[in-house]
Amino acid sequence: MVALAEIAFMSSSLRAMRRDVRPDDRRVLRRALGRLPVDHRAFAGAREPAAVRRFLEVLSA
């Protein structure tokens, strides 16, 4: 999930993605983020871990 989010973060418009995310998608993202602490190793591989985390948080809201 983090790798896909990083690709989306680097290549897409957050505004456009927020428009396309369905309520069910948001719920799944919130659940997944609840299981991935900020210091989780999945984020360590991202170029900008904090930005990718924030991107996911915005999409899930």
Side-chain angles (χ1 to χ4, degrees):
M1 180 178 87
V2 174
L4 291 174
E6 182 175 26
I7 292 167
F9 171 72
M10 298 300 227
S11 66
S12 188
S13 166
L14 177 58
R15 225 179 269 180
M17 289 192 76
R18 284 186 74 190
R19 184 181 57 238
D20 294 336
V21 176
R22 299 174 309 188
D24 288 345
D25 300 328
R26 293 179 196 283
R27 191 171 28 259
V28 169
L29 283 172
R30 280 193 302 273
R31 193 175 308 136
L33 283 172
R35 295 180 183 142
L36 286 174
V38 176
D39 61 348
H40 191 277
R41 68 181 183 186
F43 289 106
R47 285 185 190 169
E48 298 179 45
V52 172
R53 173 75 185 203
R54 182 69 188 131
F55 178 75
L56 287 168
E57 288 170 350
V58 169
L59 284 179
S60 71

